[in-house]
């Protein structure tokens, strides 16, 4: 559910107090009382209040307020109205019939389909990152992974540098350079906490509220695979915040071949303190707690398909499929039950199955769902019965419980252009923005 853009109830109180005599001014309220007031505001309104004066900025920026805000909203949250969700899309497109020199030139665009009002615009801007200030050096910026409401952004030329950023607070952290060039479009990237349970309770912990938590960034490169028959493994580069350095590991190709991962599935899915990638036949699992070991989960035959997405919804690992059958295209959601990090691969259960041809459209648009341009994007993290799909130049929300389709984005590129490849990065917004983790040797940028 999107946050309201209307003035909060507190706004009228501020106006009334500001027009009162000085002895009843809001500035005379104690810090503890102001904290109680700010804790009851929506997140966006609380952030806006930081701009009123230095005192308010100091109060709202303090870790104590963050903990109070999270605790209040955890206790009073309405579970029937889930937190907002954003789907960041990164895609390449080209004009194959252009009469000028731009014919065949690949363009890149990043946009958001969001329930958060802060991101409901035609373009998704990341121009607060420092790579925009030196465009002559960096070739191109690419979103490469997401975790909760944080994005991992890569810039590559001769080497690759990664940034961890929060697009809402505009905070960022630059990681040390990787000693090797990594192709952002073909590299599997994932962000996972190190030594902290990957669950909703982490937002109520002191460590996360103060931006003091450990993590790992994993990059698996497919460079060189297929060029020689002797190669038996793929290279994995792992950054650990504990030591502040990159290390190298190997992923046996007998477990998982990164080359077979669809472009939209390069974002690692963090679940139960482990990272997961899917390639149509198996799921690659990275466990930072077992000496950085990789293992695989072989998918049953019914789940083996190319148009599938891996995700987490309602505290379960899920695979969502867009699969052609005799009567048309079906959307299917599979949930993994009894899965843990003790080599228990669990059991796959079919939660939803719905034929797109039989669905009712909320608006006048009717997708055909019969072309090669139709693809599955993601499963909603708070509602396992809602999936996002793309048909050509439009994005749809598919409700598998009510059997309805609703277009939420049209004309994502000019109609004369063709989308070549598409990558998807879900952002699940908590009640308070996740702080960018602090670094031992690099400093976090201040919010702009």
């Amino acid at each position: 559910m999107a946050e309201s853009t209307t003035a909060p109830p507190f706004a009228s109180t501020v106006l009334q107090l500001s027009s009162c005599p000085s002895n009843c001014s809001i500035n005379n309220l104690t810090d503890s009382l102001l904290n109680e007031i700010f804790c009851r505001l929506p997140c966006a309104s609380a952030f806006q209040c930081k701009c009123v004066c230095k005192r308010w900025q100091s109060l709202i920026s303090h870790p104590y307020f963050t903990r109070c805000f999270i605790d209040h909203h955890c206790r009073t949250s309405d579970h029937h109205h889930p937190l907002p969700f954003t789907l960041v899309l990164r895609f390449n497109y080209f004009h194959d019939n252009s009469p000028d020199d731009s014919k065949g030139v690949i363009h890149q665009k990043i946009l958001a389909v969001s329930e958060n009002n802060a991101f409901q615009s035609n373009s998704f801007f990341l121009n607060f990152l420092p790579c925009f200030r030196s465009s002559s050096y960096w070739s191109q910026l690419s979103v490469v992974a997401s975790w909760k409401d944080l994005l991992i952004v890569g810039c590559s030329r001769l080497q690759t540098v990664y940034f961890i950023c929060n697009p809402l607070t505009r905070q960022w952290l630059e990681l040390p350079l990787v000693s090797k060039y990594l192709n952002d479009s073909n590299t599997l990237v994932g962000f996972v906490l190190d030594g902290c349970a990957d669950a909703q309770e982490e937002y109520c912990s002191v460590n996360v509220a103060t931006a003091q938590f450990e993590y790992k960034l994993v990059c698996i490169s497919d460079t060189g695979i297929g060029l020689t028959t002797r190669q038996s493994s793929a290279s994995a580069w792992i950054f650990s915040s504990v030591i502040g350095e990159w290390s190298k590991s190997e992923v046996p190709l007998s477990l998982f071949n990164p080359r077979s991962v669809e472009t939209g599935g390069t974002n690692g899915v963090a679940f139960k303190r482990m990272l997961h990638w899917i390639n149509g036949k198996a799921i690659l699992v990275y466990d930072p707690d077992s000496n950085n070991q990789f293992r695989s989960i072989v998918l049953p035959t019914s789940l083996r398909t190319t148009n599938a997405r891996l995700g987490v919804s309602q505290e379960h690992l899920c695979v969502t499929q867009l699969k052609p059958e005799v009567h048309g295209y079906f959307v299917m959601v599979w949930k993994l039950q009894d899965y843990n990090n003790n080599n228990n691969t669990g059991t796959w259960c079919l939660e939803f199955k719905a034929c797109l041809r039989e669905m009712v459209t909320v608006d006048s648009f009717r997708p055909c769902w019969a072309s090669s341009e139709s693809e599955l994007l993601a499963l909603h993290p708070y509602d396992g019965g809602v999936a996002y799909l793309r048909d050509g130049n439009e994005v749809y929300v598919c409700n598998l419980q009510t059997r309805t389709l609703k277009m939420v984005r049209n004309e994502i590129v000019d109609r004369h252009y063709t989308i070549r490849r598409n990558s998807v990065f879900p952002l699940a917004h908590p009640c308070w923005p996740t702080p960018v983790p602090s670094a031992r040797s690099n400093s976090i940028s201040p919010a702009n």
Side-chain angles (χ1 to χ4, degrees), residues 129-132 134 137-144 152-163 177-178 181-182 184:
L129 293 173
C131 49
F132 277 92
S134 54
Y137 181 79
W138 301 111
S139 60
Q140 197 170 43
L141 171 148
S142 292
V143 178
V144 296
I152 289 79
V153 180
C155 287
S156 299
R157 195 182 182 189
L158 299 177
Q159 289 180 300
T160 303
V161 63
Y162 290 107
F163 298 88
L177 284 170
V178 187
Y181 168 78
L182 298 175
D184 291 330

Side-chain angles (χ1 to χ4, degrees), residues 158-360:
L158 299 177
Q159 289 180 300
T160 303
V161 63
Y162 290 107
F163 298 88
I164 302 172
C165 69
N166 189 314
L168 180 63
T169 63
R170 300 168 71 88
Q171 288 184 322
W172 56 269
L173 171 69
E174 180 180 350
L175 300 183
L177 284 170
V178 187
S179 59
K180 181 179 178 60
Y181 168 78
L182 298 175
N183 187 337
D184 291 330
S185 61
N186 297 324
T187 301
L188 309 186
V189 183
F191 181 99
V192 65
L193 290 188
D194 190 9
C196 177
D198 188 19
Q200 186 67 21
E201 300 86 61
E202 69 197 31
Y203 288 111
C204 299
S205 69
V206 175
N207 289 339
V208 174
T210 57
Q212 297 292 334
F213 54 94
E214 305 300 344
Y215 61 92
K216 287 184 178 178
L217 182 67
V218 181
C219 305
I220 304 173
S221 173
D222 68 352
T223 303
I225 296 178
L227 299 180
T228 173
T229 57
R230 297 179 181 178
Q231 187 167 351
S232 60
S233 62
S235 298
W237 298 87
I238 303 170
F239 177 82
S240 171
S241 63
V242 176
I243 61 176
E245 296 178 353
W246 292 89
S247 60
K248 187 179 179 181
S249 184
E250 300 293 332
V251 181
L253 295 183
S254 58
L255 286 180
F256 191 89
N257 191 338
R259 277 265 165 119
S260 57
V261 175
E262 287 191 80
T263 305
T266 57
N267 179 36
V269 176
F271 183 64
K272 291 186 179 292
R273 293 167 45 183
M274 297 178 290
L275 281 172
H276 305 77
W277 294 270
I278 188 171
N279 71 350
K281 295 182 179 180
I283 295 175
L284 177 66
V285 183
Y286 168 75
D287 187 354
D289 291 338
S290 76
N291 198 22
N292 296 332
Q293 292 295 314
F294 290 91
R295 58 186 176 90
S296 65
I297 301 174
V298 178
L299 293 173
T301 306
S302 56
L303 270 77
R304 296 184 183 183
T305 180
T306 55
N307 204 340
R309 291 290 180 266
L310 188 65
V312 175
S313 184
Q314 298 172 320
E315 300 184 2
H316 283 87
L317 196 66
C318 300
V319 170
T320 311
Q321 300 173 299
L322 179 60
K323 194 173 183 179
E325 293 189 0
V326 176
H327 300 292
Y329 276 79
F330 282 79
V331 178
M332 290 175 279
V333 178
W334 298 81
K335 181 184 293 185
L336 186 56
Q337 304 278 12
D338 303 322
Y339 172 57
N340 57 50
N341 54 2
N342 295 322
N343 293 321
N344 182 2
T345 56
T347 305
W348 292 98
C349 302
L350 181 61
E351 289 290 304
F352 297 99
K353 182 177 181 179
C355 181
L356 290 172
R357 182 183 296 176
E358 300 172 356
M359 288 194 169
V360 177

Side-chain angles (χ1 to χ4, degrees), residues 37 39 48 67 88 120 146 154 202 252 302 325 381 385 433:
I37 295 173
C39 281
Q48 291 172 357
R67 293 192 293 270
V88 178
Q120 291 177 350
S146 63
E202 69 197 31
S302 56
E325 293 189 0

